[in-house]
Amino acid sequence: MTTSISSRSTVPAADLQGDAEALQAAVAELVRVYQFRDRDRICCHDVSVTQCYALETLVERGPMRLRALAERLFLDKSTASRVVNALVRKGYVEQRPDATDGRAMLLDATPAGRRLCGRIWSDLVAQQKQLLGDLAPDIRAGVVQVIQRLARAADARFRSGAAGGCCGPGCETAACA
């Protein structure tokens, strides 16, 4: 029995199931380790992990409205608002009227926010450098390429709703009610 995973290839279903289980275990472990690392390292910089993600998004993508930032971070608008308000109080994000719609506000990283994001980035990159130091250059490049492809594929599936599962808009499970 085979399962088509794209128009270009098919793989045996048993292999796909086993590979999916191995990927889930590997990603879960990687995410767990990095969540603890990020919590411990980023909090040393006066922001929470979520605030860091919001600031990083504004630095990388430029000014945006609150709704766009919330969607980018997979947060509801009220949670994103609390995150942004904390960053505004700390002087890392500023709000200004949107020139295209006087009723709307744009969020942007301040120079202090950009400097903070740069310090955090440098700190985390230094750690990655230590992790990758024992690997051959071609292996390092392959690791980065695979993680980037998986991240893009997962992001596309989650944003499209194709991933299904709980906690999407309209979720009516007891945990989300």
Side-chain angles (χ1 to χ4, degrees):
M1 178 178 177
T2 60
T3 301
S4 176
I5 58 171
S6 75
S7 61
R8 294 178 290 169
S9 67
T10 58
V11 295
D15 292 344
L16 182 59
Q17 178 66 29
D19 290 346
E21 290 175 7
L23 176 62
Q24 173 56 32
V27 169
E29 181 65 13
L30 183 67
V31 168
R32 184 187 65 75
V33 169
Y34 273 75
Q35 282 178 331
F36 287 119
R37 180 206 66 166
D38 287 353
R39 183 198 63 205
D40 293 343
R41 299 299 289 199
I42 291 172
C43 290
C44 296
H45 294 278
D46 186 36
V47 292
S48 70
V49 172
T50 305
Q51 291 168 355
C52 183
Y53 291 152
L55 183 59
E56 182 181 68
T57 300
L58 292 171
V59 168
E60 288 179 355
R61 297 182 175 268
M64 65 178 58
R65 293 181 182 175
L66 181 62
R67 180 178 301 277
L69 181 62
E71 289 173 3
R72 184 74 204 149
L73 298 174
F74 295 103
L75 296 174
D76 64 54
K77 193 174 173 183
S78 65
T79 301
S81 179
R82 286 192 298 276
V83 169
V84 166
N85 287 339
L87 290 169
V88 169
R89 279 194 308 276
K90 294 175 180 182
Y92 300 131
V93 168
E94 63 185 2
Q95 299 179 48
R96 64 174 186 267
D98 186 337
T100 63
D101 182 351
R103 298 168 296 168
M105 299 293 286
L106 283 179
L107 306 168
D108 197 6
T110 64
R114 292 178 190 285
R115 285 191 300 273
L116 175 64
C117 197
R119 283 195 309 271
I120 294 171
W121 176 264
S122 294
D123 183 33
L124 298 177
V125 167
Q127 286 189 352
Q128 302 295 20
K129 191 174 171 184
Q130 292 172 354
L131 288 174
L132 294 174
D134 293 337
L135 302 176
D138 60 327
I139 299 295
R140 293 193 304 254
V143 165
V144 171
Q145 186 177 29
V146 167
I147 291 173
Q148 288 173 332
R149 289 183 67 182
L150 288 171
R152 282 193 300 268
D155 187 71
R157 286 187 59 82
F158 297 149
R159 291 189 189 288
S160 72
C166 188
C167 298
C171 179
E172 297 178 6
T173 64
C176 295

